[in-house]
């Protein structure tokens, strides 16, 4: 154990990451990382006076650079080294330092669909870049905004609370629908106290401060409490926290709701049986429309009809009540959803293939525009797949799905009803009004609520 590692462990009051490395200068830093951090800081705090500081003074302010008061000596702090240097230099001081991300795939011989470590030489290997690189991978898999926030919180907690002098390193694993965050060291508070939001006894206060300044972390002690508060909205299962000894290690496992393609398998294995039991119970007890998720048992519900799209091949175009035959149907509107694959557009008698279709007499530019619209519509159809497969979704999931659909392009009520396979009245009453009031979606014609071409537009977060 070298002198820096020894001092790291012996430092009192948990302030190890403020230890000053006298012989480690600014030249030990990865300046692409520092530049990225300063950009994030300026974005989070555009008018802050620190934005105009020189690099060394800026790093001093955030805790990455230290000065010894009783001498003229100065240098990087351990926090600055871990956050902004490079793996080879970090391990000179902290030989046990190691970061790893991996996704498991049982179909592959190696077992990993994706893997990178701080040692592979393709990136800096520091903790700051690890956070953003892993976060980009995690967000690809998660549907609900709260789910992504939970994963980001767990990732930041692992980096902030890690004991970098202990063996094992930080590992983040994705396997099926579970995400595991493991770091060396155990909590310094009882789990119950941390879950209640009590002030955390931070192992690395300067690393925490650096994340806090760019809005990655919130106030100390709030991370686990937010995980607990959000779990019902964002998770399939409760947060699981395991603390091991010899060596000390903390493992946090989250199972968030994934994107529809992955959610299918996960939800089937985790909650489908429960949903089926609930649905059967509602049917047996004659639950009303509101209780059975806004219309999934209605007599004219698309998938319940004998002549529905799903059951009968030619049903949509031949049925009196079909989508394509109604004067006010989705398919007869200019902004209609061109439902892809296995849908009404693919049938022999569909609107876009009939001899009298307007599509047979359009210009090249109009055809290109139509193709672009169809590409958007296919994406919408895929995005809404989970709602069509699950008759009863958590309200938060349905709300998030509606907002995301409406962010793709303005959608009319009947279009949303078709995409989600819900009744228009149920959507309007239980979701759309609430989302408009909350500012998550807006009306295309706000001054004319009953406009014949009224549509809903998603409000993207800034």
């Amino acid at each position: 154990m070298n002198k820096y590692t020894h001092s790291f462990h012996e430092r009192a009051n948990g302030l190890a990451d403020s230890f000053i490395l006298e012989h480690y200068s600014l030249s030990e830093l990865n300046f692409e990382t520092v530049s990225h951090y300063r950009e994030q800081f300026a974005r989070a705090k555009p008018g802050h006076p620190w934005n105009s500081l020189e690099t060394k003074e800026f790093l001093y302010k955030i805790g990455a650079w230290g000065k010894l008061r009783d001498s003229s000596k100065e240098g990087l702090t351990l926090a600055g080294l871990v956050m902004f240097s490079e793996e080879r230099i970090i391990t000179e001081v902290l030989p046990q330092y190691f970061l790893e991300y991996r996704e498991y795939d049982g179909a592959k011989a190696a077992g990993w669909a994706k893997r990178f470590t701080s040692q592979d030489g393709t990136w800096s290997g520091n903790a700051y870049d690890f956070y953003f690189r892993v976060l980009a991978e995690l967000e690809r898999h998660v549907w609900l905004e709260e789910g992504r926030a939970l994963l980001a919180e767990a990732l930041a907690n692992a980096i902030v609370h890690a004991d970098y002098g202990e063996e094992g390193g930080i590992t983040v694993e994705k396997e099926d629908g579970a995400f595991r965050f493991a770091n060396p060291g155990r909590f310094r508070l009882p789990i119950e106290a941390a879950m209640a939001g009590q002030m955390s006894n931070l192992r690395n206060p300067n690393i925490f401060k650096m994340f806090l300044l760019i809005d990655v972390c919130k106030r100390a002690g709030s991370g686990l409490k937010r995980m607990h508060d959000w779990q019902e909205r964002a998770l399939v299962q409760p947060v699981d926290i395991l603390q091991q000894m010899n060596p000390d290690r903390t493992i946090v496992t989250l199972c968030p709701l994934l994107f529809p393609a992955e959610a299918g398998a996960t939800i089937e294995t985790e909650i489908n049986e429960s949903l089926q039991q609930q649905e059967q119970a509602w049917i047996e007890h004659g639950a009303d429309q509101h209780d059975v998720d806004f219309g999934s048992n209605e007599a004219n519900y698309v998938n319940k009809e004998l002549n529905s799209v799903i059951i009968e091949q030619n049903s949509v175009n031949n049925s009196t009540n079909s989508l394509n035959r109604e004067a006010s149907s989705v398919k007869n509107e200019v902004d209609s959803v061109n439902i892809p694959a296995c849908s009404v557009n693919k049938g022999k008698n569909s609107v876009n293939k009939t001899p009298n279709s307007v599509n047979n007499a359009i210009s090249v530019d109009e055809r290109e525009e139509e193709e672009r619209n169809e590409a958007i519509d296919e994406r919408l159809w895929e995005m809404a797949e989970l709602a069509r497969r699950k008759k009863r979704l958590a309200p938060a999931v349905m709300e998030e799905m509606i907002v995301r659909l409406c962010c793709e392009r303005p959608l009319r009520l009947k279009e949303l009803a078709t995409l989600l396979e819900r009744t228009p009245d149920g959507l309007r009453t239980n979701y759309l009004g609430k989302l408009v009031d909350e500012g998550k979606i807006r009306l295309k014609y706000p001054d004319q609520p009953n406009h014949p071409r009224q549509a809903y537009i998603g409000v993207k977060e800034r």
Side-chain angles (χ1 to χ4, degrees):
M1 182 180 291
N2 64 37
K3 67 176 182 178
Y4 292 124
T5 306
H6 179 76
S7 298
F8 182 89
H9 285 291
E10 295 301 320
R11 188 87 168 164
N13 301 321
L15 299 180
D17 72 343
S18 64
F19 183 79
I20 299 171
L21 305 168
E22 301 175 35
H23 305 294
Y24 284 75
S25 65
L26 295 182
S27 63
E28 317 293 348
L29 299 179
N30 182 301
F31 277 92
E32 288 185 8
T33 305
V34 175
S35 177
H36 186 276
Y37 182 90
R38 296 203 68 166
E39 289 172 4
Q40 293 292 113
F41 182 91
R43 187 176 295 114
K45 296 174 170 52
H48 202 287
W50 294 357
N51 285 317
S52 60
L53 296 177
E54 295 294 330
T55 300
K56 182 185 288 188
E57 193 62 24
F58 177 82
L59 293 174
Y60 175 74
K61 294 291 188 181
I62 67 172
W65 186 262
K67 301 174 183 179
L68 295 173
R69 294 297 179 187
D70 56 352
S71 70
S72 60
K73 295 179 180 179
E74 55 186 339
L76 287 178
T77 62
L78 274 169
L81 185 81
V82 168
M83 286 286 276
F84 301 126
S85 189
E86 297 188 354
E87 187 271 344
R88 182 65 185 87
I89 300 172
I90 297 171
T91 53
E92 290 177 2
V93 178
L94 301 169
Q96 305 292 347
Y97 175 88
F98 180 72
L99 309 174
E100 180 178 22
Y101 173 80
R102 56 194 181 219
E103 294 180 16
Y104 283 101
D105 185 348
K108 292 183 178 292
W112 295 315
K114 177 166 291 190
R115 180 177 183 253
F116 58 83
T117 77
S118 54
Q119 297 177 343
D120 62 33
T122 60
W123 58 292
S124 68
N126 62 50
Y128 178 83
D129 288 344
F130 181 72
Y131 173 84
F132 284 97
R133 187 166 183 176
V134 171
L135 186 63
E137 297 295 335
L138 299 178
E139 289 183 338
R140 292 189 299 107
H141 301 287
V142 183
W143 169 257
L144 198 62
E145 187 64 38
E146 283 93 337
R148 291 198 294 276
L150 278 171
L151 294 178
E153 190 80 49
L155 176 59
N157 276 347
I159 295 172
V160 166
H161 294 292
D163 184 343
Y164 291 100
E166 291 290 348
E167 61 186 71
I170 297 173
T171 61
V172 180
E173 300 175 328
K174 177 190 178 294
E175 185 173 11
D176 296 328
F179 295 81
R180 284 182 288 274
F181 302 82
N183 63 267
R186 294 189 294 157
F187 290 144
R188 293 185 167 188
L189 287 176
I191 293 178
E192 295 77 12
M195 283 291 191
Q198 294 184 20
M199 184 62 69
S200 178
N201 185 356
L202 291 170
R203 180 173 280 112
N204 299 297
N206 283 286
I207 292 177
F208 172 78
K209 176 183 177 180
M210 292 174 201
F211 278 132
L212 181 69
L213 288 169
I214 58 173
D215 295 339
V216 164
C217 292
K218 306 299 180 184
R219 67 179 180 84
S222 64
L224 287 176
K225 185 177 188 301
R226 277 200 302 281
M227 290 185 197
H228 181 268
D229 293 344
W230 286 342
Q231 71 182 35
E232 290 186 1
R233 287 169 57 87
L235 300 182
V236 174
Q237 297 177 354
V239 179
D240 179 68
I241 301 175
L242 175 65
Q243 299 210 74
Q244 299 178 341
M245 299 178 66
N246 298 318
D248 288 353
R249 195 161 183 80
T250 299
I251 304 172
V252 176
T253 302
L254 303 176
C255 297
L257 291 169
L258 308 180
F259 273 111
E262 294 183 69
T266 301
I267 294 177
E268 288 293 332
T269 56
E270 299 291 346
I271 62 173
N272 191 44
E273 184 176 331
S274 174
L275 287 173
Q276 289 176 347
Q277 292 173 352
Q278 293 175 19
E279 183 174 1
Q280 185 61 35
W282 282 116
I283 293 173
E284 290 175 356
H285 291 84
D288 61 27
Q289 177 182 324
H290 178 79
D291 290 333
V292 189
D293 201 21
F294 321 132
S296 57
N297 279 337
E298 278 199 1
N300 295 323
Y301 184 65
V302 174
N303 282 339
K304 299 288 184 180
E305 285 270 321
L306 179 62
N307 295 325
S308 72
V309 177
I310 303 302
I311 296 174
E312 191 171 308
Q313 183 177 356
N314 298 320
S315 62
V316 175
N317 290 322
N318 293 333
S319 172
T320 302
N321 294 322
S322 71
L323 293 178
N324 283 344
R325 291 292 297 275
E326 282 190 4
S328 59
S329 72
V330 175
K331 289 303 304 156
N332 285 334
E333 293 167 359
V334 176
D335 296 331
S336 67
V337 178
N338 295 315
I339 302 171
C342 315
S343 65
V344 294
N345 248 359
K346 301 296 185 180
K348 179 180 178 182
N349 299 319
S350 71
V351 172
N352 287 341
K353 289 189 176 181
T354 55
N356 296 324
S357 169
V358 293
N359 292 339
N360 289 333
I362 61 177
S363 68
V364 173
D365 289 341
E366 288 172 326
R367 285 188 184 280
E368 290 178 353
E369 179 65 23
E370 180 183 314
E371 289 175 358
R372 285 193 293 271
N373 288 337
E374 287 182 357
I376 294 174
D377 292 337
E378 183 166 357
R379 185 162 67 251
L380 293 174
W381 191 250
E382 292 173 351
M383 290 170 63
E385 178 188 358
L386 182 61
R388 294 193 302 277
R389 284 194 292 104
K390 297 294 177 185
K391 306 304 182 206
R392 207 169 289 102
L393 285 179
V397 177
M398 180 65 83
E399 290 173 8
E400 182 76 14
M401 193 176 295
I402 291 171
V403 172
R404 290 181 178 276
L405 290 169
C406 293
C407 282
E408 292 291 318
R409 72 167 176 83
L411 290 171
R412 302 178 71 179
L413 178 58
K414 288 186 177 180
E415 293 176 310
L416 283 167
T418 300
L419 287 165
L420 300 166
E421 289 190 356
R422 298 297 192 274
T423 61
D425 287 344
L427 286 174
R428 183 192 296 111
T429 302
N430 297 289
Y431 294 114
L432 299 177
K434 176 176 179 287
L435 291 172
V436 170
D437 290 342
E438 292 176 350
K440 295 181 179 179
I441 60 175
R442 61 183 177 85
L443 297 176
K444 185 175 182 180
Y445 304 100
D447 298 329
Q448 304 176 62
N450 297 319
H451 193 286
R453 303 194 61 75
Q454 187 63 271
Y456 297 90
I457 301 172
V459 178
K460 297 182 179 179
E461 294 185 3
R462 296 181 179 179

